[in-house]
Amino acid sequence: MARIELRNVSVEFPIYNVSARSFKKSLLRLATGGAISKNDHQQLVIRSLNNISLALQHGDRIGLIGHNGAGKSTFLRLLATIYEPTKGNLSIEGHISSILNLTQGIESECTGYENIIIRGSLLGISRKQIKEQIEEISELTGLGDYLAMPVRTYSLGMMVRLAFAISTSIKPDILLIDEVFNAGDADFMQKAVKKINSLLVQSSIVVMASHSDQIIREFCNKVLLLEGGKVKYFGDVEQAIALYRHKS
């Protein structure tokens, strides 16, 4: 079974060519939302995540909430192993699939069908598996004959449909989602909700960031509230939402 454990984890990003004057620190704090301090080498850093310790286990459906700059995207990218901890230890057991930047990796000069193969391969899906699933993926996109056309002819909404259909064709142990429900029209949203529900059943652990209380209540059984890169609250859904909205 899948498991994630963070022990005193921090993620810091160095700031180059900036002095430590207070007014510049204030400007950076407003722009990034992270805490600004000095690391062990006396270099200015933005501490996007600060000393986080928690454990996620099989059956956890975690809603990730907090204001912009609270550390939500950094937390998801940490779990996706895009970022590494600057301090502390991160232990992950299980295959991870992330739906973080839907259109990243889409090749504009290739057709929709070609992108299904390319992106599927990047997600670790074999060509045999892609061929077996291509009809299902194509149907989910709702793009019809457009799949035979170059992606550069697509609207942004069409690109999102294509990328979502490919990204959700996997069967992960750990599923990471970042605001996927904010993209696309009503028809896409309906399909997205149905597909995510299917993935929730198949996945051992799910972590999803959303600004929608409705989405959090519908899909999650716990909530992690981040504030300034720190854990403000981790636990009951309703209590976390109430705490967040009270602070808002």
Side-chain angles (χ1 to χ4, degrees), residues 105-202:
I106 294 292
E107 297 290 337
S108 61
E109 293 300 322
C110 295
T111 67
Y113 284 120
E114 289 169 339
N115 269 287
I116 290 174
I117 295 172
I118 293 169
R119 191 178 175 98
S121 298
L122 291 174
L123 291 171
I125 307 172
S126 69
R127 281 186 172 252
K128 181 176 182 293
Q129 289 174 307
I130 294 171
K131 287 181 179 179
E132 291 172 350
Q133 294 179 263
I134 198 161
E135 186 175 339
E136 179 186 346
I137 295 171
S138 301
E139 184 179 350
L140 181 58
T141 68
L143 295 177
D145 293 340
Y146 277 99
L147 286 171
M149 298 177 65
V151 169
R152 59 179 163 77
T153 64
Y154 291 14
S155 67
L156 178 59
M158 294 166 69
M159 286 181 62
V160 168
R161 285 171 177 263
L162 175 65
F164 178 84
I166 303 169
S167 297
T168 55
S169 62
I170 38 70
K171 294 177 174 60
D173 299 315
I174 300 168
L175 179 63
L176 311 175
I177 307 172
D178 190 6
E179 296 289 357
V180 68
F181 296 101
N182 283 352
D185 56 23
D187 181 56
F188 169 80
M189 290 282 288
Q190 188 176 7
K191 288 185 177 182
V193 169
K194 184 177 179 181
K195 186 64 177 179
I196 292 297
N197 268 319
S198 172
L199 284 176
L200 285 176
V201 173
Q202 300 173 42

Side-chain angles (χ1 to χ4, degrees), residues 22-55:
S22 59
F23 78 93
K24 287 192 174 182
K25 291 175 69 176
S26 297
L27 285 174
L28 283 166
R29 186 176 293 108
L30 288 171
T32 64
I36 295 177
S37 60
K38 290 185 178 181
N39 61 17
D40 296 339
H41 303 289
Q42 297 302 301
Q43 181 182 31
L44 279 178
V45 295
I46 298 173
R47 186 167 293 149
S48 292
L49 296 177
N50 190 357
N51 198 34
I52 293 180
S53 294
L54 56 85

Side-chain angles (χ1 to χ4, degrees), residues 47-68:
R47 186 167 293 149
S48 292
L49 296 177
N50 190 357
N51 198 34
I52 293 180
S53 294
L54 56 85
L56 308 180
Q57 55 192 357
H58 176 72
D60 281 342
R61 305 288 183 258
I62 308 300
L64 190 58
I65 63 175
H67 294 293
N68 290 335

Side-chain angles (χ1 to χ4, degrees), residues 25 77 82 93 150 167 206 236:
K25 291 175 69 176
R77 282 158 176 74
I82 297 171
E93 298 175 13
S167 297
V206 177
D236 179 72

